[in-house]
Amino acid sequence: MTATTTADKRAAFRKLHESGCFVLPNPFDAGTAKMLQHLGFKAIASTSAGFAWSIGKADTGTMLDEMLAHLAALSAAVDIPVNADFEGGFADAPEGVAANVARAVATGVAGLSIEDSTGDKDHPLYAREFAVERIRAARQAIDANGGDVLLTGRCEAFLWGKPDLGLVTDRLVAYAEAGADCLYAPGIKTVEEITAVVKAVAPRPVNLLIGASGLSLEQAAGLGVRRISVGGSLARMAWAGFMRAAKEMAEQGTFTELAHGYPGGELNKIFG
């Protein structure tokens, strides 16, 4: 495939959000990114958890410079748009978020998301107005750096033990008004929850973390969802195979699981 420019990737990513529903799978390194492009996906998204595990860290343990290098590597590896799981922007204050988002834009990503979780179990979400200011700062940083990067505003309430649908929809609407192009509430899973979020932020697109909902692409599309991501699920699938084989070797001294590996010749052909 002929390499496309960053501008082309960003335009294509925005086009994907105009109608229908698409799958936005989450690779965790350049190889898995290339494979997802090979399989025909039109765009991909990084996973903070999957990347962290690949460098021997826990989720949210990645440093800003590590993440920026990872995003640059993903963007350079493929000719399709890359959306960045940019966690909370690697800063608390809006001005810090803005500075870091500017650096993320420079990696060549087509989109990025900003979360409203603090990482503090006692106060898991930033105060509403402060969270809105953080989204506004991210939007201004994107606009100021000449990038048509698609900004996703995330409300993490359901993931942090606050399954308050009213709180979530209120925040997502505010994030949209502050400049978020796409809205995302990871953890919602029922038809009622998904429908409420889609209606609240319409006509802006909604990202659904498929996870526990068990919905198919067709079913999610029927609810008005625009894109589906899988978070760290593909990374966990890869780790599952690795751990089965490694534990068998460590605990039993046998090697039968190795017979289930993906053919090396096929990988060489795809990547060659």
Side-chain angles (χ1 to χ4, degrees), residues 241-257:
F242 176 90
M243 290 301 291
R244 278 195 302 272
K247 288 177 75 173
E248 181 196 5
M249 289 190 285
E251 296 170 4
Q252 302 174 37
T254 56
F255 308 91
T256 60
E257 281 291 336

Side-chain angles (χ1 to χ4, degrees), residues 26-69:
N26 304 81
F28 47 90
D29 61 13
T32 50
K34 284 176 176 284
M35 183 60 76
L36 291 170
Q37 175 175 294
H38 172 77
L39 292 173
F41 290 99
K42 302 302 183 186
I44 55 176
S46 69
T47 158
S48 60
F51 172 57
W53 299 330
S54 77
I55 59 172
K57 294 189 173 186
D59 190 14
T60 73
T62 306
M63 304 302 291
L64 173 62
D65 286 346
E66 291 173 324
M67 181 62 75
L68 292 170

Side-chain angles (χ1 to χ4, degrees), residues 123-242:
H123 304 282
L125 302 180
Y126 288 109
R128 181 187 183 280
E129 292 310 312
F130 191 72
V132 171
E133 283 301 315
R134 286 162 42 82
I135 294 294
R136 187 173 290 117
R139 175 80 268 160
Q140 292 170 349
I142 290 170
D143 294 344
N145 286 277
D148 190 23
V149 172
L150 191 133
L151 175 62
T152 297
R154 293 176 52 149
C155 179
E156 306 291 292
F158 271 64
L159 293 188
W160 284 86
K162 296 173 73 70
D164 183 336
L165 192 58
L167 178 152
V168 168
T169 54
D170 172 69
R171 283 183 175 236
L172 292 182
V173 169
Y175 298 164
E177 292 172 349
D181 302 294
C182 180
L183 290 310
Y184 183 14
I188 62 171
K189 59 184 178 182
T190 69
V191 168
E192 293 74 21
E193 291 164 352
I194 296 165
T195 300
V197 168
V198 169
K199 287 183 176 179
V201 304
R204 284 183 173 81
V206 168
N207 182 99
L208 177 65
L209 178 66
I210 206 65
S213 74
L215 296 177
S216 67
L217 174 63
E218 183 179 8
Q219 290 169 327
L223 297 178
V225 170
R226 187 69 78 231
R227 75 184 199 199
I228 293 171
S229 58
V230 298
S233 294
L234 284 173
R236 289 189 293 105
M237 289 298 298
W239 278 103
F242 176 90

Side-chain angles (χ1 to χ4, degrees), residues 6-142:
T6 297
D8 290 337
K9 293 178 183 179
R10 290 172 177 169
F13 197 49
R14 284 192 171 270
K15 188 76 173 174
L16 284 171
H17 289 77
E18 292 178 2
S19 62
C21 185
F22 67 100
V23 180
L24 185 68
N26 304 81
F28 47 90
D29 61 13
T32 50
K34 284 176 176 284
M35 183 60 76
L36 291 170
Q37 175 175 294
H38 172 77
L39 292 173
F41 290 99
K42 302 302 183 186
I44 55 176
S46 69
T47 158
S48 60
F51 172 57
W53 299 330
S54 77
I55 59 172
K57 294 189 173 186
D59 190 14
T60 73
T62 306
M63 304 302 291
L64 173 62
D65 286 346
E66 291 173 324
M67 181 62 75
L68 292 170
H70 173 60
L71 296 175
L74 289 184
S75 297
V78 295
D79 302 324
I80 55 177
V82 175
N83 186 77
D85 174 353
F86 205 52
E87 300 186 16
F90 296 87
D92 292 315
E95 54 267 30
V97 172
N100 295 339
V101 165
R103 294 182 67 188
V105 169
T107 67
V109 295
L112 63 85
S113 61
I114 296 293
E115 305 171 5
D116 60 5
S117 57
T118 64
D120 179 353
K121 292 181 180 179
D122 295 326
H123 304 282
L125 302 180
Y126 288 109
R128 181 187 183 280
E129 292 310 312
F130 191 72
V132 171
E133 283 301 315
R134 286 162 42 82
I135 294 294
R136 187 173 290 117
R139 175 80 268 160
Q140 292 170 349
I142 290 170

